Amino acid sequence: MNEQNRKIGLFLVITGAIFWGIGGTVSKKLFQEYSIDVNWLVVIRLLIAGLLLLSLKCVTKNRGEVFKVWKDKKVALHLIIFGIFGMLGVQYTYMVAIDYGNAATATLLQYLSPVMIIVYLLLRKRIVFTLSDMITVLLALLGSFLLLTNGSLSQMYVPIPAIVWGVLSGVAAAFYTLYAAPLLKKYDSLVVVGWAMVIGGVALNFIHPLWAAAWTSFTLKTYLYLAFVIVFGTMIAFWFYIKSLQSLSPKETSLLGSLEPLAAVITTVFWLKAPFGTFQWLGACCIIGVVFILAFWSKKPAKLKKGQKNVSSKIS
């Protein structure tokens, strides 16, 4: 791998992560100042971004995969379940958490999903509990406590609904990660994620139709913010992240992906002027630190019992 390709890879993953983080903050702007309905935004975001990703695949290699995924009934059912409970689950809970709270808190709570995966695999007895796992869980719990309370036991600094939806977003992200694995082994990620977005968007469209919006009240700024959330904060962010894997290792992309919550925190605090206490900053650092540990903790594999797997093979 030459140095030029590595630089391109670094640019792609950093840009994608920053777009993801800023996209959440722009969504909050739409909810807060332009009274955009959260259900409607999720529908239009999923449908347009999904169609753009599938269109992108159609002009690249192996374009036949776009429809091949529907030829196997079991794969098709798997994809539909993933689209509704995985993709839609993640996007909807994340956006509602932003609506009730802010992008910084919602993004950081969603980043607890690796810890939830560890706990799930432990309960299923599919991994052994290592020192790094223990430190990861404790650091995540400490970070969450500081983030939500700002170090005070007497009061919560984040609305309860925002906490509930944020935690549900983490659970949905954990399910998304585990359930998508078999699909991603067989088919290109652009195909899997593109169709999952379209499926999720169509499903929610039955509850909140795409056309049920006060289009005439939209200003130029509204359209620009919507375009950023859909194109840059969703479609390009994902595309750049996937493209970076051609030049960087999964551990590097995972680590640099932690710029997403950092971008969400900075833009939330300095652009939207949301209050963020000293201990909340420390809590944010703890949660981002979890990503560092998962990406770079070097350890010898523990002796596994029959049928068990090391957690690093699942989430790193």
Side-chain angles (χ1 to χ4, degrees):
M1 184 189 303
N2 60 50
E3 188 62 25
Q4 185 63 28
N5 285 341
R6 178 174 170 76
K7 287 180 179 178
I8 293 173
L10 289 170
F11 168 78
L12 291 174
V13 69
I14 290 171
T15 304
I18 291 173
F19 279 167
W20 258 324
I22 297 175
T25 308
V26 175
S27 297
K28 178 62 178 180
K29 184 82 169 178
L30 287 168
F31 301 147
Q32 187 173 285
E33 295 188 18
Y34 296 91
S35 301
I36 296 296
D37 183 84
V38 63
N39 299 280
W40 181 83
L41 181 61
V42 174
V43 171
I44 194 169
R45 182 188 189 197
L46 286 176
L47 284 176
I48 296 180
L51 291 172
L52 287 173
L53 288 173
L54 292 174
S55 299
L56 180 65
K57 181 62 182 176
C58 286
V59 297
T60 58
K61 294 180 180 179
N62 302 319
R63 60 179 63 90
E65 279 192 25
V66 171
F67 296 103
K68 182 182 177 183
V69 71
W70 293 106
K71 293 182 178 179
D72 187 319
K73 291 182 179 179
K74 287 185 178 179
V75 172
L77 179 61
H78 195 148
L79 183 58
I80 291 171
I81 293 172
F82 173 61
I84 295 173
F85 296 100
M87 179 63 71
L88 178 58
V90 168
Q91 296 293 332
Y92 185 78
T93 54
Y94 175 61
M95 283 295 168
V96 176
I98 291 175
D99 192 22
Y100 278 113
N102 57 60
T105 303
T107 306
L108 289 165
L109 287 175
Q110 190 181 78
Y111 259 65
L112 293 176
S113 59
V115 177
M116 296 176 184
I117 292 175
I118 290 175
V119 173
Y120 169 78
L121 294 177
L122 283 170
L123 292 174
R124 292 289 302 274
K125 297 181 179 180
R126 293 175 63 184
I127 62 170
V128 293
F129 199 51
T130 65
L131 177 60
S132 66
D133 297 334
M134 181 178 68
I135 293 175
T136 297
V137 172
L138 291 176
L139 196 60
L141 291 174
L142 174 62
S144 299
F145 170 77
L146 294 175
L147 174 68
L148 302 176
T149 67
N150 196 32
S152 173
L153 292 171
S154 61
Q155 59 182 318
M156 299 291 285
Y157 270 64
V158 178
I160 297 296
I163 297 172
V164 172
W165 284 104
V167 172
L168 287 175
S169 179
V171 173
F175 172 80
Y176 175 104
T177 302
L178 293 170
Y179 199 76
L183 287 170
L184 293 173
K185 286 180 180 178
K186 284 186 175 182
Y187 300 97
D188 186 85
S189 56
L190 289 177
V191 175
V192 174
V193 175
W195 276 119
M197 285 182 174
V198 171
I199 291 166
V202 169
L204 189 59
N205 188 72
F206 285 107
I207 299 172
H208 197 286
L210 182 63
W211 50 86
W215 296 93
T216 55
S217 66
F218 287 5
T219 65
L220 178 59
K221 276 191 176 181
T222 309
Y223 284 110
L224 290 175
Y225 286 146
L226 281 171
F228 183 90
V229 170
I230 296 167
V231 178
F232 292 93
T234 307
M235 183 264 181
I236 289 180
F238 175 79
W239 179 34
F240 278 14
Y241 185 86
I242 294 301
K243 287 289 289 183
S244 72
L245 289 170
Q246 297 177 0
S247 308
L248 303 174
S249 69
K251 285 189 175 182
E252 287 176 309
T253 55
S254 175
L255 176 62
L256 292 170
S258 65
L259 288 171
E260 178 191 351
L262 186 59
V265 170
I266 291 174
T267 51
T268 296
V269 173
F270 295 102
W271 183 39
L272 298 187
K273 308 297 180 184
F276 213 74
T278 303
F279 285 103
Q280 287 181 294
W281 280 105
L282 183 58
C285 290
C286 288
I287 294 174
I288 294 173
V290 168
V291 181
F292 280 77
I293 292 175
L294 292 174
F296 287 105
W297 184 288
S298 60
K299 58 182 181 293
K300 294 180 180 179
K303 188 176 180 179
L304 305 178
K305 295 179 182 179
K306 187 177 180 181
Q308 288 183 319
K309 294 182 181 180
N310 195 296
V311 70
S312 61
S313 66
K314 287 288 181 184
I315 58 179
S316 63

